[in-house]
Structure formats: structure tokens, C-alpha cells
Amino acid sequence: MLTQVNELREYFSSRIYEAESSDELQSLKVSSLGKKGEVTALLKKLGSMPSEERKAAGECVNLLRNELEEIFETKAKQLKDKQNSMTEQRNAIDVSLPASGRYAGVFHPVVETLHEIVNIMAGVGFSVALGPEIEEDFYNFEALNIPKSHPARDMQDTFYFPADDVHPEGRLLRTHTSPVQIRSMLKYGAPIRVVCPGKVYRRDNDPTHSPMFNQLEGLLVDEDVAFADMKGCLQVLMNNFFGKSLRNRYRASYFPFTEPSMEMDVECFECSGKNPDCRICKGSGWLEVCGMGMVHPYVLRSGGVDPAKYNGFAWGMGLDRMAMLKYGINDLRLMFDGSLQDVTRGEY
Ligand code: DAH
């Protein structure tokens, strides 16, 4: 009997020690201490033993049972602890994982463009002047040398408000930022250097025209201003904006508020005319960027500035177009679309 007890002790304690799961432990418990277990079988045998041996043998088997119960308990606790720490590890935050991206918001490309141009021009002494989007006929047309019958009014299809008692002349949504030239001269006098960014409106809506778009006007009035000053000034703007020293060219044009009037093209900052398939200049090598000219004496007079003493230059550019050129955006409508994914080409 004693050998049997010892064998069972050795067998079960080492099996329990090696057990790796609580299931394994449970089946060991059944096969040792369970109803049909081997230790239980020994206990049952005690009844058939002669009484002088039964007491000592009984003590032995009971001792074994108690011992096994104790190591079962210890082992069960160990397994449970191990299980817990594994779950803990699995649930722990893995600081090495890349953070999930959060879209913090960015400036609209047009606003970005506006900030850049304003910064560049501030660097050469220009201030920012703003004017109203709901404008009077006088500032939008009349003062800029565009009288009522002037054909140039047809160049810009205008949104008009009906006349009322307060504004018997009627008002309109400004069609360009040029009226801010007049407002600025009347307010600040000469000499003056201002840039005037803002929204403008025209009755136009197709892939390359939107009824609302953004312009930036520039005006410099001083004594003895030369055409070369205008070229130099615009060159500074373009080179800084496109981040490159670019050639430019002028084409004769017509605006009622400048004389002479020009349109300026700059060399394509992307391909310099070398790529016939260039997405920016479409192979022409040139980008049309703005209308400009020497301020018409009529306009100076409208702004309360004496044309005998002062002259100057002005330019007007489409900010949306500048943004499209710089960021390679090929459809104007994306600028006003709700889908950021399209404008940023999925880059956030
Ligand atoms: N106001 C013109 C337009 O919207 C642009 C322009 C041309 C502005 C020449 C100017 C200028 O100041 O000198 O088409």
C-alpha cells in the first residue's frame, strides 16, 4: 500500500507541476481525487484491509489526498495568474503603434495663396486694403472710367440689386476688386501702396468660370513711377510665389482704367516650356497671370489724386487661378466643392 501511495504521489505531483492549462489540471484532478480516481480507489480499498493495517494505511492515503489537494490549489492559482497577466499584456496600449491620423484642418488653397501673396507684397512695402462686396456703381464702374454706355460693362456680367429709397441708384455685387483702388486713394491719398484681396461676382458658371471667385488688386501711386517699376514689382511677386526666377512677357491689352494696358504671362514654373504635355501650361510654356497697366489719369482724379503730380501702376489677378497653377488643381469647381478629398487629391 505504501509503495502505491508513493507512486501515485510521485506521478500526480509531477504531472500537476507540468500542467499548462486549467483543463489539463481539471482532468488530473478527476483521475486522482475524482469519484473514480486512483487515490479514491485506494481509499475504497481501506475497508477491505485487516484493521491493524487500516489505520496506518488510512493515514497515508489521507495525507496523500491532502497534499494533492494543496498542490492542485497552488497550481490552479498559478495558472490563473498567468492567464491574467497574458490578457493584461494583450490589452495594454502598444505605444509603438503609429497614431491614428486625425485631420486637423488646413487653409483652403485660395486662402493659402492669398496669405503668401500678401506676405510677399508686405515685404516690398504694400499694405492690405479691403472694400465692400456689395458695391455702388460709382466705385465699380464710373470712377474707373467705365461710364454707363461704355462697352466695357459688357465684359463683366453684373449682378444688380433693385434700387430702393436708400440706394436710388441701385447697388451691385462688385465684379472686380478694382473699386478698392478708388476707395483706398480717397481714404489714404498718395503716395500709396496697397493690395486688395477679396471675393468678386459675375453672372458666369461653367468649368472655368464660377459666379463667385477671388481677386487680388495691387495699386502703387507715387511720383515718377515708371513702367519698369511695375515690371520689377510683378517680377518680385511671381518669383517669390512660384519659388523660382521666371521670365515674363507682356501682351498689349485693353482696360478702361489703365493706359497703357497689358496682360502679363510668366514662364511655366513647372516645365519652362520644355514639356509638351505639361499639366500646368498645356505645352505653351506660358501662364497668363494678370491684367495690369499704368493707372489712367481719370482714375487718379476719381481717387482725389492729382495726375499732374502723381502716377502709378495697378494690376488685378485671379487668386483662384494662381492657386490652381501653383498646386496643379485642374478644375475651378473643385475650389468651391465640399469634398476635401478631391481638392487635396486624397492626401490627408
Ligand atoms: N479688374 C480687371 C478684371 O477684373 C483686372 C485688372 C486689369 C485690374 C488691369 C487692374 C488692372 O488693376 O490694371 O478683369
Side-chain angles (χ1 to χ4, degrees):
M1 180 64 125
L2 199 58
T3 16
Q4 259 180 309
V5 167
N6 281 339
E7 273 172 19
L8 286 180
R9 171 181 288 115
E10 192 141 322
Y11 175 76
F12 280 110
S13 51
S14 67
R15 292 287 306 275
I16 295 169
Y17 178 76
E18 285 159 8
E20 279 181 0
S21 71
S22 41
D23 284 350
E24 201 181 333
L25 197 65
Q26 187 57 31
S27 72
L28 282 171
K29 200 164 185 177
V30 171
S31 58
S32 55
L33 304 177
K35 264 192 201 147
K36 291 181 183 157
E38 296 190 51
V39 179
T40 317
L42 276 188
L43 279 168
K44 281 182 191 157
K45 259 197 205 163
L46 289 174
S48 58
M49 287 178 88
S51 58
E52 51 295 357
E53 287 173 32
R54 196 190 299 153
K55 193 167 175 258
E59 274 174 16
C60 263
V61 184
N62 272 323
L63 188 67
L64 171 65
R65 194 178 59 180
N66 293 344
E67 270 177 34
L68 289 182
E69 261 165 8
E70 212 168 289
I71 36 184
F72 269 124
E73 207 175 301
T74 319
K75 183 69 186 185
K77 194 171 174 301
Q78 273 175 11
L79 286 173
K80 200 165 174 209
D81 286 352
K82 196 171 146 199
Q83 179 75 29
N84 283 348
S85 79
M86 265 158 59
T87 338
E88 234 167 68
Q89 259 176 23
R90 217 176 301 129
N91 294 344
I93 296 167
D94 181 354
V95 290
S96 69
L97 282 176
S100 58
R102 210 188 284 173
Y103 181 51
V106 292
F107 284 122
H108 191 283
V110 172
V111 176
E112 193 83 48
T113 299
L114 162 63
H115 288 172
E116 277 184 46
I117 297 181
V118 164
N119 276 339
I120 295 165
M121 297 320 291
V124 284
F126 282 72
S127 316
V128 174
L130 301 175
E133 287 169 33
I134 298 176
E135 193 46 287
E136 291 169 30
D137 187 282
F138 173 76
Y139 296 103
N140 196 80
F141 293 125
E142 209 84 26
L144 290 164
N145 196 24
I146 316 176
K148 289 245 157 32
S149 58
H150 200 288
R153 288 207 181 199
D154 301 338
M155 282 161 65
Q156 305 176 351
D157 268 332
T158 312
F159 288 108
Y160 287 99
F161 292 96
D164 57 26
D165 293 345
V166 188
H167 301 279
E169 286 276 304
R171 288 184 300 169
L172 47 83
L173 287 175
R174 67 177 178 195
T175 57
H176 51 180
T177 42
S178 303
V180 193
Q181 287 189 31
I182 306 295
R183 289 181 175 276
S184 306
M185 283 190 281
L186 288 173
K187 192 164 174 190
Y188 304 112
I192 186 172
R193 289 178 197 197
V194 281
V195 282
C196 323
K199 293 189 178 75
V200 302
Y201 303 84
R202 290 184 201 175
R203 296 164 68 114
D204 248 339
N205 202 6
D206 62 47
T208 52
H209 294 94
S210 142
M212 188 282 289
F213 57 105
N214 299 275
Q215 282 191 338
L216 180 126
E217 194 82 10
L219 172 72
L220 181 147
V221 176
D222 211 325
E223 292 175 37
D224 296 326
V225 178
F227 192 92
D229 296 323
M230 175 172 75
K231 286 179 78 176
C233 184
L234 266 297
Q235 187 83 52
V236 164
L237 199 170
M238 296 304 156
N239 287 355
N240 280 282
F241 182 70
F242 291 115
K244 228 174 163 182
S245 182
L246 297 165
R247 289 179 303 149
N248 55 21
R249 72 178 185 188
Y250 294 82
R251 279 177 292 108
S253 185
Y254 172 75
F255 300 102
F257 27 90
T258 44
E259 185 60 40
S261 301
M262 259 78 50
E263 277 174 71
M264 182 173 114
D265 299 338
V266 294
E267 175 189 341
C268 177
F269 63 93
E270 183 94 340
C271 78
S272 300
K274 294 192 187 93
N275 176 8
D277 302 319
C278 177
R279 70 199 167 111
I280 305 286
C281 69
K282 313 267 179 297
S284 77
W286 296 98
L287 309 170
E288 281 180 36
V289 289
C290 67
M292 62 207 300
M294 303 305 285
V295 183
H296 197 291
Y298 182 96
V299 174
L300 293 174
R301 241 177 269 120
S302 305
V305 171
D306 180 4
K309 185 165 181 211
Y310 293 103
N311 71 337
F313 60 83
W315 77 93
M317 63 200 347
L319 282 176
D320 311 272
R321 183 167 164 72
M322 292 290 275
M324 288 170 76
L325 289 174
K326 179 151 177 176
Y327 301 111
I329 299 164
N330 54 14
D331 187 336
L332 177 69
R333 287 173 298 189
L334 289 172
M335 293 294 196
F336 311 105
D337 205 38
S339 168
L340 297 169
Q341 204 79 45
D342 289 343
V343 176
T344 58
R345 280 162 289 146
E347 279 165 18
Y348 71 89

